[in-house]
Amino acid sequence: MQWRDRFWGRVKLKTFYWKPNRTWRLIGAAVLIVAALIWALASYLAYWNHLDSFQKWVPAPMR
């Protein structure tokens, strides 16, 4: 396990178990938002690259 996995695991742990602490909740929300943005960007680029690979595709009988 790498250091960043342990770090983010601790951030998530503190976020879920220290609910009364507003600071940790905000940090946890920020971490989740950043993770969602990274995931969305990667998915968007993968989707368009996938579609781009089919741009020149033609059915076998038409070749």
Side-chain angles (χ1 to χ4, degrees), residues 7 23 33 38 40 54 59-60:
F7 173 75
T23 305
I33 289 170
I38 291 170
F54 288 109

Side-chain angles (χ1 to χ4, degrees), residues 9-30:
R10 289 181 185 144
V11 169
K12 289 185 283 187
L13 181 69
K14 290 178 182 179
T15 301
F16 290 126
Y17 286 118
W18 291 356
K19 290 182 183 179
N21 192 337
R22 181 181 165 102
T23 305
W24 278 114
R25 285 187 305 177
L26 291 175
I27 290 171

Side-chain angles (χ1 to χ4, degrees), residues 2 5 8 10-11 13 21 23-24 30 37 39-40 46 51 59 63:
Q2 295 183 357
D5 297 332
W8 292 120
R10 289 181 185 144
V11 169
L13 181 69
N21 192 337
T23 305
W24 278 114
L37 289 173
W39 182 84
L51 288 180
R63 293 182 189 165

